[in-house]
Amino acid sequence: MPRVSEAHLAARRQQILDAAARCFVRNGFHQTSMQDVIKEAGLSVGAFYRYFKSKNELITAIAGEKITAVTGVLDGLLVLDPMPTIPEILERLLELIDAAAVEDGTIRIAVQVWGEAVHDPEVGALVAEVYGRVRDRAVRTAERAQEAGQLPPDADPQGIGAAFFGLVQGYILQRILLGNVDRQLYMNGVRALIG
């Protein structure tokens, strides 16, 4: 029997993740069964379970993919010299959120995962780890901004990083719960707050 290539395995895994994301966006995390995802992916049960054993594994992989995109953007901005201002970095992240809301709606999954984290220790650990990476980047952003003179010398980078992270989460919640939030209006408000 011929060996299956790594590229084929990766493509099949992505096929499953894409199908799961569509199901979670359409039906919600709890209303989606593993059978729903298997059917959406167009795979046999055996083929599916070769890659994922549970919905939590699916959500972990989806969240990891999305957060890796966010941390990649932040990492790219953090190495620039001069580094963009905090509002410029925030606006770049909000552009990513808007794109995810329009392209495939996967930003809706984030809010579902936050809610599930309250009740499921496994998901809670995932959220703490994954979002901890973003918050760490937010703190590093504040440290770099402080080094560049964008923030006062006595400013607390930990506190600023937490507030910065909260602005991103707040935007996501407003985008999902209230509908189309005007990014420029939001950014004008942020600039006025920190001005």
Side-chain angles (χ1 to χ4, degrees):
M1 178 188 279
R3 292 188 54 148
V4 177
S5 72
E6 288 299 318
H8 175 80
L9 293 172
R12 185 57 51 102
R13 183 177 188 279
Q14 191 60 52
Q15 176 184 351
I16 294 167
L17 290 175
D18 292 344
R22 287 191 301 272
C23 288
F24 294 154
V25 168
R26 184 174 54 241
N27 304 323
F29 183 70
H30 283 291
Q31 288 72 34
T32 298
S33 69
M34 293 295 273
Q35 284 301 321
D36 294 332
V37 178
I38 292 166
K39 182 179 177 185
E40 182 83 17
L43 298 174
S44 70
V45 172
F48 177 87
Y49 281 104
R50 175 181 184 170
Y51 296 89
F52 298 99
K53 305 291 185 247
S54 68
K55 283 198 294 185
N56 281 0
E57 283 186 17
L58 285 168
I59 207 70
T60 298
I62 292 167
E65 270 188 354
K66 299 303 177 183
I67 294 302
T68 297
V70 170
T71 56
V73 167
L74 283 171
D75 289 344
L77 294 170
L78 282 169
V79 297
L80 295 177
D81 192 20
M83 185 185 82
T85 65
I86 288 177
E88 290 168 337
I89 292 172
L90 178 61
E91 187 154 21
R92 179 66 184 106
L93 292 177
L94 300 187
E95 289 170 1
L96 281 178
I97 292 164
D98 285 347
V102 171
E103 288 170 11
D104 57 12
T106 53
I107 199 70
R108 300 180 70 79
I109 296 172
V111 177
Q112 295 177 53
V113 171
W114 299 344
E116 189 63 21
V118 174
H119 302 289
D120 183 326
E122 185 181 341
V123 176
L126 160 74
V127 168
E129 189 277 321
V130 166
Y131 286 99
R133 287 188 280 154
V134 177
R135 189 163 152 179
D136 289 345
R137 278 10 179 252
V139 170
R140 183 67 189 124
T141 299
E143 291 168 347
R144 285 279 325 274
Q146 194 172 40
E147 292 164 6
Q150 296 176 17
L151 295 171
D154 61 343
D156 176 14
Q158 291 287 328
I160 292 168
F164 179 85
F165 182 57
L167 288 169
V168 174
Q169 290 177 308
Y171 185 79
I172 290 170
L173 280 174
Q174 289 186 52
R175 188 89 162 88
I176 299 305
L177 299 176
L178 303 176
N180 192 13
V181 177
D182 185 310
R183 185 175 66 241
Q184 276 314 121
L185 185 68
Y186 190 86
M187 285 306 306
N188 290 344
V190 168
R191 286 185 180 94
L193 277 173
I194 65 174

